């Protein structure tokens, strides 16, 4: 099988530098080339300063080396894959590939990141070997964060090359791969731009304001907060103009070209240089008014900026209570109000257009849906939206008597939905759903096979097959309350009795945002200390249960893994972490300390690193700072650096493979002859001297004004646990002893007014209060 171990990236601009960064995230070294070594270096430098960070860790950058084309191209013979991301011009790309052909090793993969130039045209004129190994690899900006990569084979591309590239993008880079046909702008941008153009049509009628359209086209439709116009401001109107013009030029029919004619408003804004955020103004403009940052909105009729108007759209407000996105879209789309009208004018045509062009641009309708979900952050793709509203309802609502063949065929076959069981190709040659990979989203498929062993409101036990049980959290933000904790306990018990191994993981965006603070706050305000004491005991019992289970426990965090969520991970036999995981013991932010075994576990690990007889302080200090500063990892890889993970833990790049990987690790552990670890009865602690040193640090930080009175109190409590409590000298203690210290400190802090204020503030705003 072809392996990609080293890569050359041609072009160190916006995309090239960030593609190199993401290769480095995956541990793949690359050579980043541009016109001159200086240009390449500057490109990498610019990428390193971007927010959000294209790199998982600062160290990853070392895997990218830079150079100029003149010196660099002769060295590309070492590369297994050469990816081009230079200016969007056919002649320039062709000229560069002519040189690439001279130096590349036969059999190496070559691709272009073009947004829209036909891949076949770029590869024309090259040798057979080149063309067999040449294809499009279309990343989305920012490449680290947007899941989609469209892979575009030409008629000459060897199918094994497509497979190798798809496999690498999926497994090694963690991307969501969609194989697209070689048509102008491929799938996502083609469909997405059509939607944007229809919104401009609606805007030009003068019936809707920019704020109204953004209120309709964001979360209400299951799309990102930045909706339409804020997204365009971020992407840049110059980019929009460029891509739209290119697409319009390349489309065959006059009618389609017309559908993508650049709106005069966009032309005017580009002429004025009001191209969005990078110019300081676009559809919105940030200004300072009386010392405050205010965002003004553009009035498209006068081209003046004015204060944003309050949007009053009753159905959007009412829609907020409809949890299910499909149900919400349906209600809004069919509504007999302004929102319904807008959606029938804009979303309606997009659905019809997509159904018309899908057979030309994609191999399966699900590919179109996935492209829009992964590339544009839509919760539902166009065909999922058709199904949610109802195919007939869409046609009736939009007054369509002559639907596109795909829709006609569907209705003629007696079906009312695109996803209706049949997976084979219809008369248009378009498959409905491509066969899915065996290791993707195995938790979801397990549940579809109805393998739920046990369930309550907060979590379920799901049989993943092959003797592996899974504890899946499924409460709001996966906050851990009594239900989830009970299910952790039940999971360990059930797995020990009837399974070989246990996985703790889920398919949600966030593994767990932490303990259920609402519950805690209510108990604290009522002064129910016994209740809180019991809650903490149960949680400690659950995490210790994971650590000392008879079967290996693999925890699989992803997304936010905070507080109690982090403590669960700290107690796994192994952690299989998703690449995009933001993990941390953040209890200090709400005026508490980790008391689910987190403080204990960080201390045990710190001391395990301290050589016998060495001064323990620097090691304890590290744990103290990690918890005291509430450090949160900026990626899965970063969690190793901070010390939340150990060498034996591992990263999964593709979120959808996480549970399958965790299961595989669990089964490996079984095969290795897993034995339950012996309880730690002799954890060394530093006693009085360590406590004095930690307290001194807290005192100095307080005196320098860096921390508040309340921070000082929390710091003292934390230091107290990490030093081993009130021991006069260094000693060895049991884990239970440390857990008791955690619980005691936690209870004391719960009784503090400022802690309760912090919790209330975080619950209300999602932010931390520094009181
Ligand atoms: P960019 O302008 O940021 O970078 C282009 C690079 O090409 C620059 O570093 C420049 O020095 C180099 N270059 C300029 N003239 C050259 C020449 N004659 N020969 C060789 N190199 C030259 O562009 P970008 O946004 O990174 O886009 C690169 C490619 O990726 C384009 O094909 C674009 O369509 C595609 N793309 C861009 C985005 C995006 O959002 N920016 C997304 C997907 C795909």
């Amino acid at each position: 099988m072809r392996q990609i171990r080293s890569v050359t990236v041609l072009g160190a601009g916006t995309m090239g530098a960030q593609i190199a960064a993401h290769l480095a995230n995956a541990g793949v070294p690359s050579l980043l080339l541009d016109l001159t070594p200086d240009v390449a270096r500057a490109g990498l430098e610019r990428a390193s300063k971007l927010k959000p960070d294209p790199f998982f860790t600062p160290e990853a950058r070392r895997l990218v080396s830079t150079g100029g084309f003149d010196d660099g191209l002769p060295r590309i013979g070492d590369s297994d894959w050469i990816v081009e991301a230079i200016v969007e011009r056919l002649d320039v790309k062709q000229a560069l590939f002519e040189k690439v052909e001279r130096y590349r090793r036969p059999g190496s993969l070559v691709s272009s990141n073009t947004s829209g130039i036909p891949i076949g045209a770029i590869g024309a004129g090259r040798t057979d070997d080149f063309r067999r190994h040449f294809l499009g690899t279309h990343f989305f900006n920012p490449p680290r964060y947007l899941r989609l990569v469209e892979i575009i084979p030409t008629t000459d591309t060897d199918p094994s090359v497509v497979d190798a590239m798809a496999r690498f993008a999926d497994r090694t880079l963690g991307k969501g791969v969609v194989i697209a046909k070689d048509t102008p702008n491929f799938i996502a941008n083609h469909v997405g731009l059509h939607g944007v153009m229809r919104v401009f049509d609606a805007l030009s009628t003068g019936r809707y304001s920019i704020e109204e359209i953004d209120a309709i086209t964001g979360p209400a439709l299951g799309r990102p907060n930045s909706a339409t116009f804020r997204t365009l401001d971020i992407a840049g109107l110059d980019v929009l103009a460029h891509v739209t013009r290119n697409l319009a030029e390349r489309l065959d029919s006059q009618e389609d070209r017309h559908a993508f004619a650049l709106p005069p408003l966009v032309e005017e804004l580009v002429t004025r240089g009001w191209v969005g955020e990078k110019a300081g103004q676009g559809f919105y403009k940030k200004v300072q008014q009386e010392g405050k940052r205010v965002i003004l909105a553009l009035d498209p009729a006068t081209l003046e900026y004015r204060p944003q108007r309050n949007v009053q759209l009753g159905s959007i407000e009412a829609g907020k209570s409809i949890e299910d996105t499909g149900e919400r879209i349906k209600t809004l789309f069919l509504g007999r109000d302004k929102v319904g009208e807008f959606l029938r004018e804009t979303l309606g045509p997009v659905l019809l257009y997509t159904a018309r062009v899908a057979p030309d641009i994609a191999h399966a309708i699900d590919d179109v849906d996935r492209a829009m979900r992964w590339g544009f952050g839509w919760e539902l793709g166009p065909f999922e939206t058709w199904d949610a509203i109802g195919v007939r309802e869409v046609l009736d609502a939009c007054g369509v008597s002559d639907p596109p063949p795909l829709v006609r065929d569907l209705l003629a076959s007696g079906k009312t939905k695109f996803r209706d069981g049949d997976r084979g190709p219809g008369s248009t040659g378009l498959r409905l759903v491509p066969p899915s990979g065996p290791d993707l989203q195995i938790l979801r498929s397990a549940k579809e096979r109805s393998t739920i062993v046990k369930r309550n409101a907060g979590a379920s036990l799901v049989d993943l097959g092959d003797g592996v049980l899974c504890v899946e959290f499924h409460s709001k933000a996966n906050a851990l309350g009594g239900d989830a904790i009970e299910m952790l306990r039940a999971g360990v018990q059930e797995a020990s009795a009837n399974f070989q191994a246990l996985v703790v993981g889920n398919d949600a965006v966030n593994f767990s945002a932490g303990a259920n603070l609402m519950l805690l706050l209510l108990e604290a305000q009522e002064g129910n200390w016994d209740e809180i004491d019991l809650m903490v005991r149960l949680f400690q019992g659950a995490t210790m249960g994971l650590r000392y289970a008879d079967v290996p426990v693999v925890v699989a965090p992803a997304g936010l893994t905070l507080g109690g969520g982090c403590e669960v991970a700290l107690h796994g036999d192994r952690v299989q972490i998703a690449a995009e995981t933001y993990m941390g013991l953040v209890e200090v932010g709400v005026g508490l300390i980790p008391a689910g075994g987190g403080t204990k576990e960080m201390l045990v690990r710190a001391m395990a690193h301290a050589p016998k007889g060495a001064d323990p302080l620097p090691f304890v200090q590290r744990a103290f700072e990690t918890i005291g500063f509430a450090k949160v990892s900026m990626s899965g890889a970063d969690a190793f650096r901070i010390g939340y993970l150990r060498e034996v833990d591992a990263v999964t790049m593709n979120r959808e493979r996480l549970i399958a990987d965790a299961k595989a690790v669990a089964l490996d552990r079984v095969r290795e002859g897993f034995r339950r670890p012996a309880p730690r009865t002799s954890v060394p602690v530093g006693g009085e001297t360590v406590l004095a040193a930690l307290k001194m640090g807290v005192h100095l930080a307080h005196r320098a004004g860096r921390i508040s009175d309340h921070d000082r109190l929390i710091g003292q409590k934390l230091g107290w646990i990490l030093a081993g409590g009130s021991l006069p000298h260094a000693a060895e203690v049991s884990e239970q002893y440390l857990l008791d210290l955690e619980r005691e400190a936690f209870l004391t802090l719960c009784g503090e007014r400022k802690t309760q204020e912090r919790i209330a503030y975080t619950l209300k705003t999602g932010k931390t209060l520094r009181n």
Side-chain angles (χ1 to χ4, degrees):
M1 194 187 303
R2 276 191 187 82
Q3 294 289 344
I4 298 177
R5 294 204 180 81
S6 75
V7 179
T8 295
V9 183
L10 305 171
T14 305
M15 293 303 288
Q18 290 191 82
I19 290 171
H22 196 59
L23 285 162
N25 291 336
V28 179
S30 68
L31 177 60
L32 178 64
L33 303 179
D34 209 302
L35 294 169
T36 67
D38 283 348
V39 175
R41 232 185 340 259
L44 181 62
E45 196 58 39
R46 228 175 309 119
S48 312
K49 296 205 176 94
L50 286 176
K51 290 272 166 285
D53 200 334
F55 287 100
F56 283 175
T57 62
E59 290 76 31
R61 197 180 140 165
R62 290 191 210 125
L63 286 177
V64 185
S65 47
T66 55
F69 292 133
D70 286 350
D71 296 340
L73 285 174
R75 285 153 53 203
I76 65 174
D78 295 337
S79 292
D80 304 313
W81 173 33
I82 298 140
V83 48
E84 167 274 318
I86 61 164
V87 283
E88 185 75 336
R89 275 184 43 195
L90 178 59
D91 55 340
V92 180
K93 289 190 194 284
Q94 280 177 329
L96 185 62
F97 279 125
E98 197 180 331
K99 289 193 195 135
V100 167
E101 184 166 74
R102 243 177 271 161
Y103 297 110
R104 73 178 266 270
R105 190 180 70 235
S108 57
L109 309 188
V110 188
S111 74
S112 172
N113 186 54
T114 176
S115 311
I117 304 177
I119 306 297
I122 302 176
R126 304 277 68 77
T127 61
D128 278 356
D129 184 85
F130 186 104
R131 283 184 288 109
R132 274 208 309 280
H133 294 91
F134 182 63
L135 71 178
T137 48
H138 185 215
F139 286 81
F140 283 67
N141 188 22
R144 168 179 166 184
Y145 297 95
L146 276 181
R147 263 182 68 75
L148 181 62
V149 171
E150 290 175 324
I151 290 188
I152 310 108
T154 71
T155 46
D156 295 331
T157 314
D158 189 319
S160 72
V161 166
V162 181
D163 287 348
M165 199 67 242
R167 193 183 160 82
F168 180 77
D170 166 346
R171 296 188 186 244
T172 309
L173 300 182
K175 296 289 116 189
V177 173
V178 167
I179 311 286
K181 295 186 180 175
D182 192 7
T183 59
N185 292 45
F186 320 121
I187 300 173
N189 281 343
H190 188 166
V191 172
L193 276 181
H194 189 271
V196 170
M197 292 303 122
R198 299 297 70 78
V199 168
F200 276 112
D201 291 346
L203 181 69
S204 70
T205 64
R207 301 203 317 273
Y208 314 97
S209 70
I210 282 175
E211 298 98 305
E212 282 176 331
I213 293 178
D214 272 355
I216 302 173
T217 57
L221 297 185
R223 300 189 189 172
N225 280 325
S226 51
T228 301
F229 295 110
R230 270 212 294 138
T231 303
L232 292 176
D233 271 357
I234 296 165
L237 301 189
D238 49 342
V239 175
L240 171 73
H242 186 73
V243 179
T244 312
R245 277 200 198 99
N246 281 345
L247 174 60
E249 272 170 24
R250 294 185 191 118
L251 290 169
D252 290 333
S253 88
Q254 181 65 32
E255 184 193 343
D256 288 348
R257 282 201 293 273
H258 187 71
F260 288 92
L262 199 63
L265 174 65
V266 176
E267 301 232 31
E268 179 60 30
L269 292 176
V270 172
T271 309
R272 293 182 182 217
W274 298 359
V275 294
E277 268 189 4
K278 60 190 164 193
Q281 63 196 89
F283 292 105
Y284 295 97
K285 181 178 184 175
K286 284 185 196 145
V287 293
Q288 289 285 338
Q289 276 179 0
E290 292 157 12
K292 279 211 296 224
R293 230 178 52 161
V294 182
I295 300 175
L296 306 177
L298 183 76
D299 180 337
T302 60
L303 290 188
E304 275 167 16
Y305 292 93
R306 50 161 180 73
Q308 289 193 62
R309 293 194 191 125
N310 253 342
V311 173
Q312 290 183 339
L313 296 168
S315 57
I316 295 289
E317 273 312 306
K320 285 182 183 159
S321 63
I322 308 178
E323 190 110 351
D324 182 75
T325 304
E327 193 58 42
R328 192 169 58 244
I329 296 178
K330 176 177 183 166
T331 308
L332 295 173
F333 188 88
L334 299 177
R336 307 251 52 105
D337 65 339
K338 192 172 179 180
V339 174
E341 256 166 53
F342 173 84
L343 289 176
R344 291 188 292 276
E345 265 172 53
T346 55
L347 181 58
V350 174
L351 297 181
L352 287 158
Y353 182 79
T354 308
R356 179 153 72 74
V357 299
D360 298 330
I361 65 176
H363 298 284
I365 62 158
D366 195 52
D367 283 341
V368 180
D369 283 342
R370 290 189 299 162
M372 299 318 289
R373 285 207 306 264
W374 292 340
F376 280 67
W378 295 6
E379 268 176 57
L380 298 184
F383 291 101
E384 288 160 322
T385 307
W386 269 104
D387 284 353
I389 301 172
V391 173
R392 272 208 192 285
E393 283 83 349
V394 171
L395 297 179
D396 291 347
C398 298
V400 177
S401 52
D402 176 26
L406 194 64
V407 178
R408 221 171 34 226
D409 283 6
L410 181 88
L411 293 175
S413 71
K415 293 191 175 133
T416 54
K417 282 183 182 332
F418 282 98
R419 280 177 174 69
D420 201 359
D422 181 3
R423 283 163 186 258
S427 67
T428 53
L430 193 66
R431 297 182 69 95
L432 294 182
V433 182
S436 68
D439 292 338
L440 288 162
Q441 297 200 329
I442 62 163
L443 180 58
R444 202 178 77 179
S445 19
K447 283 188 291 183
E448 282 166 6
R449 294 195 309 270
S450 328
T451 54
I452 297 176
V453 176
K454 202 167 185 178
R455 184 188 157 93
N456 64 26
S460 298
L461 303 185
V462 184
D463 181 352
L464 294 177
D466 305 313
V468 181
L469 184 70
C470 178
V471 181
E472 179 199 24
F473 303 142
H474 45 61
S475 57
K476 188 154 186 258
N478 284 337
L480 304 178
D483 283 341
I485 290 165
E486 161 54 20
M487 212 44 94
L488 281 173
R489 195 198 57 76
V492 169
Q493 199 180 37
E494 178 68 31
S496 304
N498 299 315
F499 290 81
Q500 306 189 66
L502 183 68
V503 164
V504 183
N506 54 68
D507 286 336
V509 177
N510 297 317
F511 175 77
S512 168
N516 186 333
L517 288 175
M518 180 59 87
L519 212 67
L520 180 67
L521 181 62
L522 291 177
E523 300 290 5
Q525 284 169 339
E526 299 277 314
N528 294 337
W529 311 123
D530 287 349
E531 278 298 316
I532 298 180
D533 184 75
L534 182 65
M535 278 161 63
V536 179
R537 277 178 202 276
L538 286 174
F539 192 39
Q540 290 182 341
T543 54
M544 291 295 275
L546 297 176
R547 185 170 156 80
Y548 293 108
D550 289 325
V551 294
V553 175
V554 180
V555 185
L560 292 181
T561 302
L562 302 176
C566 181
E567 293 182 293
V568 167
L570 289 174
H571 287 81
D573 170 56
R574 292 286 183 273
V575 174
Q576 187 70 29
I577 194 171
E580 295 297 345
T581 303
Y582 316 107
M583 182 170 179
L585 294 170
V586 295
E587 284 82 352
V588 166
V590 286
L592 297 167
I593 51 92
T599 308
K600 175 260 314 171
E601 195 58 28
M602 293 306 282
L603 175 66
V604 171
R605 292 184 187 187
M607 296 312 284
H609 282 113
K612 263 228 154 349
D615 176 6
L617 184 63
F619 299 91
V620 180
Q621 184 83 33
R622 185 162 176 227
F624 180 80
E625 286 174 7
T626 303
I627 301 171
F629 293 131
K631 287 189 188 165
V632 177
S633 72
M634 299 312 285
S635 62
D638 198 34
F640 286 84
R641 213 172 57 109
I642 298 177
Y644 292 132
L645 298 182
R646 305 147 298 177
E647 264 176 30
V648 291
D649 299 325
V651 178
T652 292
M653 290 298 278
N654 189 338
R655 174 73 179 86
E656 295 193 346
R657 296 187 179 279
L658 181 65
I659 306 296
D661 284 357
K663 177 181 164 184
V665 170
L667 289 173
D668 278 349
R669 294 291 289 148
V670 173
R671 271 189 292 276
E672 287 163 21
F674 170 83
R675 298 280 294 276
R676 177 157 73 115
R680 298 148 166 155
T681 47
S682 48
V683 181
V685 289
E688 185 66 32
T689 16
V690 166
L691 181 59
L694 294 177
K695 272 188 166 170
M696 178 56 89
V698 172
H699 169 74
L700 292 175
H702 182 258
R703 208 180 58 183
R706 283 190 279 122
I707 61 172
S708 69
D709 290 354
H710 196 48
D711 288 330
R712 179 178 57 181
L713 176 68
I714 302 164
Q716 285 166 348
K717 292 278 172 211
L718 180 60
W720 180 72
I721 306 169
L722 291 173
S726 319
L727 295 173
H729 45 69
E732 290 187 344
V733 300
S734 68
E735 280 186 280
Q736 188 55 50
Y737 173 87
L738 293 168
L739 291 173
D740 292 340
L741 295 185
E742 279 186 1
R743 210 171 56 247
E744 191 180 333
F746 188 89
L747 276 162
T748 324
L749 289 169
C750 278
E752 291 287 326
R753 185 176 49 82
K754 289 201 166 171
T755 287
Q756 293 178 16
E757 282 171 12
R758 283 193 186 188
I759 298 176
Y761 184 84
T762 297
L763 281 170
K764 201 163 152 210
T765 64
K767 300 190 187 120
T768 45
L769 176 68
R770 288 261 93 112
N771 58 359

